[in-house]
Amino acid sequence: MPRPSARALVTRYAVAWAYLAGVTIAGITYLLLSRAGQVSVMRWASTNVHNLHQDPVGCLVASAFFPSGSVGAWPLLIALALFGANRVLGNWRTLVVCAAGHVIGTLVSEGIVAYRVSHGALPPAERFIIDVGPSYVVVAAIAVALLYGGWLARAAALLDLAVLTFAGDIFGGLGQLEVAAVGHTTAIATGAITGSLAIWQHRVWQHRTRQRRAGNNRDDKQPAGPPSAGPAAASPAAPATGSSQAGATAGRRAADQADQPRPPA
């Protein structure tokens, strides 16, 4: 089999490449900022309760690209999950599933914070916490790769999940409804559900496409019918109507004359 070209690989995994490049550029930019600049960026990009009320779209987009923790580790963690999911889902489905994991994971976790703050279970300062990073996107992709990927994609996703779980402690404090733990759990569930729906939709589309192609092939292979016969061919032995009627009339007249009695000689 011929090897795919570099352009084909970039096109096939466009979402994974684009997200990997975006996070890498954002991470390098963050490292080049001063300490005060880094603090300002984190406050602006954080998907906390305050920012979600003030600028929900801006902070949701920005928070998915600015990494938290070790900046250098995220490109590898993204690659282990996103390329496997991208291979399974294709580009636009990968975008939808990962975006859903990030958005729903954020809204559920921060919604719980807002509820608890409003009821006095958490101090008001919790509305301004720093909540950034690509981890919700990554765990949503991990769920898809684990459920539907090939053996290599599943192995990479399992390694990714193990690193995030044991080294990153992404589920720590789930019993206490910690923001990160709730968000990662929600993002994984969202990735599994939306990924399954995307796979089902893709299979239905493939089935209908095959049915249409099979129907078109049957129509193409059907032999053409015999040429339609013309009026003359349809009735080749049609008698001349006028002459036949005249002959019948003359015959009846001759028979009537023969039956009549003749006078004696």
Side-chain angles (χ1 to χ4, degrees):
M1 293 179 63
R3 291 185 178 182
S5 63
R7 182 177 180 180
L9 288 175
V10 171
T11 303
R12 181 174 185 179
Y13 300 99
V15 170
W17 283 117
Y19 189 63
L20 180 60
V23 172
T24 302
I25 293 171
I28 293 173
T29 304
Y30 175 80
L31 292 176
L32 294 176
L33 295 174
S34 64
R35 179 60 183 167
Q38 291 177 352
V39 172
S40 298
V41 167
M42 289 295 104
R43 287 177 178 173
W44 164 69
S46 177
T47 49
N48 53 42
V49 174
H50 174 75
N51 285 350
L52 287 172
H53 279 290
Q54 299 296 322
D55 183 19
V57 176
C59 68
L60 279 168
V61 173
S63 66
F65 289 90
F66 283 97
S68 60
S70 177
V71 174
W74 279 110
L76 177 60
L77 295 173
I78 290 169
L80 288 173
L82 262 292
F83 284 97
N86 205 159
R87 180 179 178 84
V88 171
L89 296 176
N91 283 316
W92 74 265
R93 293 182 183 88
T94 302
L95 178 63
V96 170
V97 170
C98 290
H102 176 68
V103 172
I104 296 175
T106 298
L107 294 181
V108 170
S109 59
E110 293 294 340
I112 292 174
V113 171
Y115 177 84
R116 296 177 72 189
V117 168
S118 65
H119 286 76
L122 289 175
E126 292 294 317
R127 299 174 65 250
F128 301 92
I129 62 173
I130 302 299
D131 184 12
V132 298
S135 56
Y136 293 171
V137 172
V138 171
V139 296
I142 285 175
V144 173
L146 285 176
L147 288 174
Y148 300 105
W151 70 268
L152 185 58
R154 289 181 177 179
L158 189 60
L159 174 62
D160 211 358
L161 183 61
V163 171
L164 289 171
T165 301
F166 297 108
D169 195 25
I170 60 173
F171 300 111
L174 183 59
Q176 291 74 41
L177 297 179
E178 293 288 339
V179 172
V182 172
H184 287 110
T185 303
T186 305
I188 287 179
T190 302
I193 294 170
T194 57
S196 298
L197 290 175
I199 291 290
W200 172 80
Q201 185 271 339
H202 182 58
R203 289 175 178 172
V204 169
W205 175 81
Q206 284 183 324
H207 178 67
R208 290 177 178 174
T209 302
R210 285 194 296 267
Q211 283 185 327
R212 284 196 296 269
R213 289 176 179 173
N216 292 337
N217 290 338
R218 283 196 298 268
D219 293 341
D220 293 340
K221 291 178 181 179
Q222 251 185 350
S228 58
S235 55
T241 307
S243 61
S244 62
Q245 287 180 350
T249 302
R252 284 198 299 270
R253 286 177 179 175
D256 292 340
Q257 291 175 0
D259 292 337
Q260 287 179 358
R262 295 181 178 180

